[in-house]
Amino acid sequence: GDSVTQMEGPVTLSEEAFLTINCTYTATGYPSLFWYVQYPGEGLQLLLKATKADDKGSNKGFEATYRKETTSFHLEKGSVQVSDSAVYFCALRGSQGNLIFGKGTKLSVKP
Amino acid sequence: DTEVTQTPKHLVMGMTNKKSLKCEQHMGHRAMYWYKQKAKKPPELMFVYSYEKLSINESVPSRFSPECPNSSLLNLHLHALQPEDSALYLCASSHRDPLSGQGPQETQYFGPGTRLLVL
């Protein structure tokens, strides 16, 4: 079945460091891919998405490129801030239209 | 506006209580979802309503009873819950019917959640 694998956390970085959170998927066809962010005590917010191969999603300095060759959708940001501390979930659109999530990666950014 | 609202924010209930969670969106979305999220885990799909009809039930116990009274509202009625049902309950909506294929209107927008504690 469809699944998402993302790097285990937690990830701890200093402010202004470069961020990469790896995400790979297994699916039939080319499903839409998403990154959601969850701040402490809150619900999920859509961070970015890509609906087809080679699409690049971007928002708030975060980027991810849909790579069908490597079945990956890695999240990157050039310079993280303390306010980026949160849990990041990679997800794909399942065959029933539901979201299939990875386990989440907790990011802590220290000043 | 991509806002989904949920009430209450927090709920504490005993195992014999009956309570309801409420979700509302005014974006004209035709699909609404309930997810359950345990601590330090990803959300898990419970139910999907499409055009006010239940289209997906992920084998959820009958002590959880969803209801979609109109296209903007989604309720989750709770009865005889167990302590292991304590979790964050998230509602989401999308413009498009989830079974109608991929596209830009498939994106699901989440509410802030209701944090439920069952004693």
Side-chain angles (χ1 to χ4, degrees):
Chain A
D2 296 349
S3 65
V4 174
T5 302
Q6 60 181 106
M7 62 188 286
E8 297 282 335
V11 174
T12 302
L13 296 173
S14 298
E15 209 165 20
E16 299 184 3
F18 185 85
L19 169 71
T20 300
I21 300 178
N22 290 338
C23 171
T24 58
Y25 67 90
T26 301
T28 305
Y30 303 108
S32 296
L33 301 174
F34 305 85
W35 277 100
Y36 282 86
V37 58
Q38 187 171 33
Y39 297 100
E42 297 186 10
L44 273 70
Q45 297 179 26
L46 177 68
L47 183 58
L48 53 83
K49 67 178 183 180
T51 57
K52 60 183 188 297
D54 299 325
D55 262 3
K56 178 188 278 189
S58 61
N59 185 27
K60 299 181 182 178
F62 290 90
E63 292 184 340
T65 301
Y66 192 139
R67 305 269 188 213
K68 68 176 182 179
E69 306 84 9
T70 53
T71 61
S72 65
F73 193 53
H74 304 321
L75 182 68
E76 296 182 336
K77 186 175 185 182
S79 175
V80 293
Q81 305 300 312
V82 173
S83 56
D84 293 326
S85 297
V87 179
Y88 292 81
F89 290 98
C90 184
L92 65 79
R93 181 190 183 280
S95 57
Q96 295 187 88
N98 55 311
L99 285 173
I100 296 171
F101 290 92
K103 291 186 176 181
T105 302
K106 183 175 181 180
L107 170 67
S108 295
V109 180
K110 306 297 185 188
Chain B
D1 182 12
T2 55
E3 187 176 29
V4 176
T5 59
Q6 290 187 243
T7 55
K9 290 194 71 171
H10 301 275
L11 179 62
V12 180
M13 60 186 290
M15 289 189 284
T16 58
N17 292 158
K18 285 185 182 181
K19 296 286 185 183
S20 296
L21 309 184
K22 180 178 171 181
C23 173
E24 197 163 0
Q25 57 87 13
H26 294 287
M27 297 178 278
H29 288 181
R30 303 316 303 263
M32 297 184 77
Y33 311 74
W34 280 116
Y35 287 83
K36 174 182 178 179
Q37 186 180 22
K38 300 283 279 183
K40 299 187 179 181
K41 299 287 187 185
E44 295 177 346
L45 183 68
M46 300 174 73
F47 302 104
V48 181
Y49 271 83
S50 179
Y51 291 91
E52 299 159 49
K53 288 186 169 48
L54 184 64
S55 62
I56 296 176
N57 177 341
E58 291 288 327
S59 303
V60 179
S62 60
R63 57 186 184 267
F64 295 91
S65 175
E67 178 198 18
C68 190
N70 61 57
S71 60
S72 300
L73 274 176
L74 183 66
N75 298 321
L76 186 63
H77 302 298
L78 314 173
H79 174 54
L81 294 195
Q82 303 297 309
E84 60 264 28
D85 296 321
S86 299
L88 180 68
Y89 288 84
L90 294 163
C91 174
S93 70
S94 63
H95 186 86
R96 195 169 181 166
D97 172 3
L99 293 174
S100 63
Q102 294 188 181
Q105 296 177 324
E106 65 182 336
T107 301
Q108 292 182 32
Y109 296 93
F110 285 81
T114 293
R115 194 164 296 280
L116 173 67
L117 176 62
V118 182
L119 300 176

